Amino acid sequence: DIQMTQSPSSVSASVGERVSISCRASHGIGAWLAWYQQKPGKAPNLLIFGASHLQSGVPSRFSGSGSGTDFTLTISSLQPEDFATYYCQQADSFPWTFGQGTKVEFK
Amino acid sequence: QVQLIESGGGVVQPGRSLRLSCAASGFTFNTYSLHWVRQPPGKGLEWVAFISSDGSLKHYSDSLKGRFTISRDNFQSTLYLQMNSLGPDDTAVYFCARETSYSGAGSFDYWGQGTLVTVSA
């Protein structure tokens, strides 16, 4: 199975700051990577697919980059509604797997 | 609009079975692959199972050890998850999710609200 490792596990940031979250795959996955945002008690929301493609309706302050084993989700200017937990997910091969999550907290 | 509505969760004793349903609307059901994803309380997301649009292909998480079966009824626009020999580690919110149709996406663009399964004596 492909293991997905996110770092950091949590990050404290202020409104307006730039935040980057890393996701590393145990094997190369090309661009088969998605990013999700999840708020407490809610289902996850797709932000990025294909490593760098912004899902329709998602603000442009979110961006994704990377290929192979190393990927990054960047929030260019953190907004109050962005405080949440973020997950990466690989779809290169079954079983699909998620990272353990990164919680973005208010500093 | 696209809707996925799970049902069938609840409290079940260890060793018993449960069947979850996911009723879909707002899209052409028989053209999309579907998945189940679960989330134990306070923990991260875990992919559970996949079924292709016509039901001919299925994949499962290795950790399930053959206890779960995914199926679908394309006439009723409903996805199912049959769960047998349930144990405490199966306690989680279970989400159904639609796989994005874009080629090369490999992601979930719509999710249900989730249904909680609690395995407890």
Side-chain angles (χ1 to χ4, degrees), chain B residues 76-117:
Chain B
Q76 298 290 329
S77 297
T78 303
L79 174 71
Y80 301 100
L81 185 67
Q82 177 67 42
M83 306 185 294
N84 298 331
S85 302
L86 286 163
D89 289 348
D90 297 315
T91 294
V93 174
Y94 285 75
F95 297 99
C96 61
R98 190 183 84 167
E99 186 176 325
T100 312
S101 63
Y102 306 136
S103 177
S107 55
F108 310 119
D109 58 358
Y110 284 93
W111 298 64
Q113 84 287 353
T115 187
L116 176 62
V117 173

Short mmCIF file of all heavy atoms in Angstrom, two decimals, chain B residues 76-117:
data_model
loop_
_atom_site.label_atom_id
_atom_site.label_comp_id
_atom_site.label_asym_id
_atom_site.label_seq_id
_atom_site.Cartn_x
_atom_site.Cartn_y
_atom_site.Cartn_z
N GLN B 76 -32.29 2.03 -8.77
CA GLN B 76 -32.75 2.76 -7.59
C GLN B 76 -31.81 3.91 -7.21
O GLN B 76 -32.08 4.64 -6.25
CB GLN B 76 -32.88 1.81 -6.39
CG GLN B 76 -33.89 0.70 -6.58
CD GLN B 76 -35.31 1.24 -6.59
OE1 GLN B 76 -35.64 2.24 -5.95
NE2 GLN B 76 -36.19 0.59 -7.36
N SER B 77 -30.71 4.08 -7.96
CA SER B 77 -29.70 5.13 -7.66
C SER B 77 -29.25 5.06 -6.20
O SER B 77 -29.22 6.08 -5.49
CB SER B 77 -30.27 6.53 -7.97
OG SER B 77 -30.55 6.66 -9.34
N THR B 78 -28.90 3.87 -5.78
CA THR B 78 -28.52 3.65 -4.39
C THR B 78 -27.24 2.82 -4.29
O THR B 78 -27.08 1.84 -5.02
CB THR B 78 -29.64 2.96 -3.60
OG1 THR B 78 -30.83 3.76 -3.70
CG2 THR B 78 -29.27 2.82 -2.13
N LEU B 79 -26.37 3.24 -3.40
CA LEU B 79 -25.12 2.56 -3.09
C LEU B 79 -25.28 1.87 -1.73
O LEU B 79 -25.97 2.39 -0.85
CB LEU B 79 -23.98 3.57 -3.02
CG LEU B 79 -22.61 3.09 -2.57
CD1 LEU B 79 -21.97 2.22 -3.65
CD2 LEU B 79 -21.71 4.29 -2.25
N TYR B 80 -24.65 0.72 -1.58
CA TYR B 80 -24.76 -0.03 -0.33
C TYR B 80 -23.38 -0.42 0.20
O TYR B 80 -22.42 -0.52 -0.55
CB TYR B 80 -25.57 -1.31 -0.54
CG TYR B 80 -26.97 -1.10 -1.02
CD1 TYR B 80 -27.30 -1.26 -2.37
CD2 TYR B 80 -27.98 -0.71 -0.14
CE1 TYR B 80 -28.59 -1.06 -2.82
CE2 TYR B 80 -29.28 -0.51 -0.60
CZ TYR B 80 -29.57 -0.68 -1.94
OH TYR B 80 -30.85 -0.48 -2.38
N LEU B 81 -23.35 -0.66 1.52
CA LEU B 81 -22.17 -1.25 2.14
C LEU B 81 -22.67 -2.27 3.17
O LEU B 81 -23.27 -1.88 4.18
CB LEU B 81 -21.29 -0.20 2.82
CG LEU B 81 -19.98 -0.75 3.38
CD1 LEU B 81 -19.05 -1.21 2.25
CD2 LEU B 81 -19.27 0.29 4.25
N GLN B 82 -22.45 -3.53 2.88
CA GLN B 82 -22.78 -4.60 3.81
C GLN B 82 -21.58 -4.85 4.71
O GLN B 82 -20.50 -5.15 4.20
CB GLN B 82 -23.16 -5.88 3.06
CG GLN B 82 -23.45 -7.07 3.95
CD GLN B 82 -24.71 -6.89 4.78
OE1 GLN B 82 -25.73 -6.39 4.28
NE2 GLN B 82 -24.66 -7.29 6.04
N MET B 83 -21.78 -4.72 6.01
CA MET B 83 -20.68 -4.85 6.96
C MET B 83 -20.97 -6.02 7.89
O MET B 83 -21.99 -6.03 8.58
CB MET B 83 -20.52 -3.56 7.77
CG MET B 83 -20.36 -2.32 6.89
SD MET B 83 -20.02 -0.83 7.85
CE MET B 83 -21.56 -0.66 8.73
N ASN B 84 -20.09 -7.01 7.90
CA ASN B 84 -20.26 -8.20 8.73
C ASN B 84 -19.17 -8.29 9.79
O ASN B 84 -18.12 -7.64 9.67
CB ASN B 84 -20.22 -9.45 7.86
CG ASN B 84 -21.34 -9.49 6.84
OD1 ASN B 84 -22.42 -8.96 7.05
ND2 ASN B 84 -21.08 -10.14 5.71
N SER B 85 -19.44 -9.09 10.80
CA SER B 85 -18.46 -9.33 11.88
C SER B 85 -17.87 -8.02 12.39
O SER B 85 -16.65 -7.86 12.48
CB SER B 85 -17.34 -10.25 11.39
OG SER B 85 -17.86 -11.48 10.93
N LEU B 86 -18.73 -7.12 12.75
CA LEU B 86 -18.28 -5.79 13.17
C LEU B 86 -17.55 -5.84 14.50
O LEU B 86 -17.89 -6.63 15.40
CB LEU B 86 -19.47 -4.83 13.25
CG LEU B 86 -20.02 -4.39 11.89
CD1 LEU B 86 -21.41 -3.80 12.02
CD2 LEU B 86 -19.06 -3.39 11.24
N GLY B 87 -16.53 -5.00 14.61
CA GLY B 87 -15.76 -4.89 15.84
C GLY B 87 -15.64 -3.44 16.26
O GLY B 87 -16.00 -2.53 15.49
N PRO B 88 -15.13 -3.19 17.46
CA PRO B 88 -15.01 -1.81 17.96
C PRO B 88 -14.23 -0.89 17.02
O PRO B 88 -14.55 0.31 16.93
CB PRO B 88 -14.28 -1.98 19.29
CG PRO B 88 -14.63 -3.37 19.73
CD PRO B 88 -14.70 -4.18 18.46
N ASP B 89 -13.25 -1.43 16.31
CA ASP B 89 -12.46 -0.60 15.38
C ASP B 89 -13.26 -0.13 14.16
O ASP B 89 -12.77 0.70 13.40
CB ASP B 89 -11.23 -1.36 14.89
CG ASP B 89 -10.18 -1.51 15.99
OD1 ASP B 89 -10.32 -0.84 17.04
OD2 ASP B 89 -9.25 -2.30 15.81
N ASP B 90 -14.44 -0.66 13.98
CA ASP B 90 -15.30 -0.23 12.87
C ASP B 90 -16.18 0.95 13.24
O ASP B 90 -16.91 1.48 12.40
CB ASP B 90 -16.18 -1.39 12.39
CG ASP B 90 -15.38 -2.55 11.85
OD1 ASP B 90 -14.43 -2.30 11.06
OD2 ASP B 90 -15.67 -3.71 12.21
N THR B 91 -16.12 1.36 14.51
CA THR B 91 -16.86 2.54 14.95
C THR B 91 -16.34 3.77 14.21
O THR B 91 -15.15 4.09 14.28
CB THR B 91 -16.72 2.74 16.46
OG1 THR B 91 -17.36 1.65 17.13
CG2 THR B 91 -17.36 4.05 16.90
N ALA B 92 -17.24 4.44 13.49
CA ALA B 92 -16.82 5.56 12.65
C ALA B 92 -18.04 6.22 12.02
O ALA B 92 -19.14 5.64 12.00
CB ALA B 92 -15.88 5.09 11.54
N VAL B 93 -17.84 7.41 11.50
CA VAL B 93 -18.80 8.00 10.57
C VAL B 93 -18.45 7.47 9.19
O VAL B 93 -17.29 7.52 8.78
CB VAL B 93 -18.73 9.54 10.59
CG1 VAL B 93 -19.63 10.12 9.50
CG2 VAL B 93 -19.13 10.07 11.96
N TYR B 94 -19.44 6.95 8.50
CA TYR B 94 -19.25 6.39 7.16
C TYR B 94 -19.84 7.36 6.14
O TYR B 94 -21.02 7.73 6.22
CB TYR B 94 -19.92 5.03 7.05
CG TYR B 94 -19.14 3.94 7.77
CD1 TYR B 94 -19.16 3.86 9.16
CD2 TYR B 94 -18.37 3.03 7.06
CE1 TYR B 94 -18.42 2.90 9.83
CE2 TYR B 94 -17.64 2.04 7.72
CZ TYR B 94 -17.67 1.99 9.10
OH TYR B 94 -16.93 1.03 9.77
N PHE B 95 -18.98 7.77 5.21
CA PHE B 95 -19.38 8.67 4.14
C PHE B 95 -19.45 7.91 2.82
O PHE B 95 -18.54 7.11 2.52
CB PHE B 95 -18.36 9.79 3.95
CG PHE B 95 -18.17 10.72 5.11
CD1 PHE B 95 -17.10 10.55 5.98
CD2 PHE B 95 -19.03 11.79 5.31
CE1 PHE B 95 -16.90 11.43 7.04
CE2 PHE B 95 -18.84 12.67 6.37
CZ PHE B 95 -17.77 12.48 7.23
N CYS B 96 -20.46 8.18 2.01
CA CYS B 96 -20.38 7.78 0.60
C CYS B 96 -19.87 8.99 -0.19
O CYS B 96 -20.12 10.15 0.21
CB CYS B 96 -21.71 7.28 0.06
SG CYS B 96 -23.06 8.47 0.07
N ALA B 97 -19.15 8.72 -1.25
CA ALA B 97 -18.53 9.80 -2.02
C ALA B 97 -18.53 9.47 -3.50
O ALA B 97 -18.31 8.31 -3.88
CB ALA B 97 -17.10 10.04 -1.53
N ARG B 98 -18.78 10.48 -4.31
CA ARG B 98 -18.76 10.32 -5.75
C ARG B 98 -17.37 10.61 -6.29
O ARG B 98 -16.75 11.62 -5.91
CB ARG B 98 -19.78 11.27 -6.41
CG ARG B 98 -20.01 11.01 -7.87
CD ARG B 98 -20.96 12.02 -8.47
NE ARG B 98 -20.27 13.25 -8.87
CZ ARG B 98 -20.81 14.19 -9.64
NH1 ARG B 98 -22.05 14.03 -10.09
NH2 ARG B 98 -20.15 15.27 -9.95
N GLU B 99 -16.89 9.75 -7.17
CA GLU B 99 -15.58 9.98 -7.78
C GLU B 99 -15.72 11.01 -8.90
O GLU B 99 -16.62 10.93 -9.73
CB GLU B 99 -15.00 8.68 -8.32
CG GLU B 99 -13.59 8.80 -8.85
CD GLU B 99 -13.01 7.46 -9.28
OE1 GLU B 99 -13.31 6.44 -8.65
OE2 GLU B 99 -12.25 7.45 -10.27
N THR B 100 -14.80 11.95 -8.92
CA THR B 100 -14.79 12.99 -9.94
C THR B 100 -14.72 12.38 -11.33
O THR B 100 -13.98 11.42 -11.55
CB THR B 100 -13.58 13.91 -9.72
OG1 THR B 100 -13.53 14.27 -8.35
CG2 THR B 100 -13.67 15.17 -10.56
N SER B 101 -15.47 12.95 -12.26
CA SER B 101 -15.54 12.35 -13.59
C SER B 101 -14.37 12.73 -14.48
O SER B 101 -14.11 12.06 -15.47
CB SER B 101 -16.84 12.78 -14.28
OG SER B 101 -16.85 14.18 -14.46
N TYR B 102 -13.64 13.78 -14.12
CA TYR B 102 -12.54 14.22 -14.99
C TYR B 102 -11.49 13.12 -15.10
O TYR B 102 -11.09 12.54 -14.10
CB TYR B 102 -11.86 15.46 -14.44
CG TYR B 102 -12.76 16.62 -14.16
CD1 TYR B 102 -12.63 17.35 -13.00
CD2 TYR B 102 -13.75 17.00 -15.06
CE1 TYR B 102 -13.45 18.42 -12.72
CE2 TYR B 102 -14.58 18.07 -14.79
CZ TYR B 102 -14.43 18.77 -13.62
OH TYR B 102 -15.25 19.83 -13.35
N SER B 103 -11.02 12.88 -16.30
CA SER B 103 -9.98 11.89 -16.50
C SER B 103 -8.71 12.31 -15.77
O SER B 103 -8.28 13.45 -15.87
CB SER B 103 -9.69 11.75 -18.01
OG SER B 103 -8.63 10.86 -18.23
N GLY B 104 -8.16 11.42 -15.00
CA GLY B 104 -6.94 11.74 -14.26
C GLY B 104 -7.17 12.45 -12.95
O GLY B 104 -6.23 12.92 -12.34
N ALA B 105 -8.42 12.52 -12.51
CA ALA B 105 -8.70 13.25 -11.28
C ALA B 105 -8.45 12.38 -10.05
O ALA B 105 -7.68 12.74 -9.17
CB ALA B 105 -10.12 13.79 -11.30
N GLY B 106 -9.13 11.24 -9.98
CA GLY B 106 -8.94 10.36 -8.83
C GLY B 106 -9.27 11.02 -7.52
O GLY B 106 -8.50 10.90 -6.56
N SER B 107 -10.39 11.69 -7.47
CA SER B 107 -10.76 12.40 -6.25
C SER B 107 -12.27 12.30 -6.04
O SER B 107 -12.99 11.77 -6.88
CB SER B 107 -10.34 13.88 -6.37
OG SER B 107 -10.89 14.46 -7.54
N PHE B 108 -12.72 12.84 -4.90
CA PHE B 108 -14.13 12.78 -4.54
C PHE B 108 -14.72 14.17 -4.58
O PHE B 108 -14.34 15.02 -3.76
CB PHE B 108 -14.29 12.19 -3.13
CG PHE B 108 -13.54 10.90 -2.91
CD1 PHE B 108 -12.54 10.82 -1.96
CD2 PHE B 108 -13.84 9.78 -3.66
CE1 PHE B 108 -11.85 9.64 -1.75
CE2 PHE B 108 -13.15 8.59 -3.46
CZ PHE B 108 -12.16 8.52 -2.50
N ASP B 109 -15.65 14.42 -5.52
CA ASP B 109 -16.15 15.78 -5.65
C ASP B 109 -17.45 16.03 -4.88
O ASP B 109 -17.79 17.19 -4.63
CB ASP B 109 -16.31 16.17 -7.12
CG ASP B 109 -17.24 15.26 -7.91
OD1 ASP B 109 -17.75 14.27 -7.33
OD2 ASP B 109 -17.43 15.53 -9.11
N TYR B 110 -18.16 14.99 -4.52
CA TYR B 110 -19.35 15.15 -3.69
C TYR B 110 -19.35 14.06 -2.62
O TYR B 110 -19.00 12.91 -2.90
CB TYR B 110 -20.63 15.07 -4.52
CG TYR B 110 -20.91 16.33 -5.30
CD1 TYR B 110 -20.46 16.44 -6.61
CD2 TYR B 110 -21.58 17.40 -4.72
CE1 TYR B 110 -20.69 17.61 -7.33
CE2 TYR B 110 -21.81 18.57 -5.44
CZ TYR B 110 -21.36 18.66 -6.74
OH TYR B 110 -21.57 19.81 -7.44
N TRP B 111 -19.77 14.48 -1.42
CA TRP B 111 -19.82 13.58 -0.28
C TRP B 111 -21.21 13.64 0.35
O TRP B 111 -21.87 14.69 0.32
CB TRP B 111 -18.82 14.01 0.79
CG TRP B 111 -17.37 13.98 0.39
CD1 TRP B 111 -16.76 14.75 -0.58
CD2 TRP B 111 -16.35 13.17 0.96
NE1 TRP B 111 -15.42 14.46 -0.64
CE2 TRP B 111 -15.14 13.50 0.31
CE3 TRP B 111 -16.32 12.21 1.97
CZ2 TRP B 111 -13.92 12.89 0.63
CZ3 TRP B 111 -15.12 11.61 2.31
CH2 TRP B 111 -13.93 11.94 1.63
N GLY B 112 -21.61 12.55 0.98
CA GLY B 112 -22.79 12.60 1.80
C GLY B 112 -22.46 13.24 3.14
O GLY B 112 -21.32 13.61 3.42
N GLN B 113 -23.47 13.35 3.98
CA GLN B 113 -23.27 13.98 5.30
C GLN B 113 -22.71 12.99 6.32
O GLN B 113 -22.25 13.39 7.38
CB GLN B 113 -24.60 14.56 5.82
CG GLN B 113 -25.52 13.57 6.52
CD GLN B 113 -26.21 12.60 5.56
OE1 GLN B 113 -26.12 12.70 4.34
NE2 GLN B 113 -26.93 11.63 6.14
N GLY B 114 -22.74 11.71 5.97
CA GLY B 114 -22.18 10.70 6.85
C GLY B 114 -23.24 10.07 7.75
O GLY B 114 -24.23 10.69 8.11
N THR B 115 -23.00 8.81 8.10
CA THR B 115 -23.86 8.10 9.05
C THR B 115 -22.98 7.42 10.08
O THR B 115 -21.98 6.79 9.73
CB THR B 115 -24.79 7.09 8.35
OG1 THR B 115 -25.72 6.55 9.29
CG2 THR B 115 -24.03 5.95 7.69
N LEU B 116 -23.30 7.57 11.35
CA LEU B 116 -22.45 7.08 12.43
C LEU B 116 -22.79 5.63 12.76
O LEU B 116 -23.96 5.29 13.01
CB LEU B 116 -22.63 7.95 13.67
CG LEU B 116 -21.88 7.51 14.94
CD1 LEU B 116 -20.36 7.52 14.70
CD2 LEU B 116 -22.24 8.41 16.11
N VAL B 117 -21.77 4.81 12.76
CA VAL B 117 -21.87 3.42 13.19
C VAL B 117 -21.09 3.26 14.47
O VAL B 117 -19.89 3.58 14.52
CB VAL B 117 -21.32 2.46 12.11
CG1 VAL B 117 -21.27 1.03 12.62
CG2 VAL B 117 -22.14 2.56 10.84
#
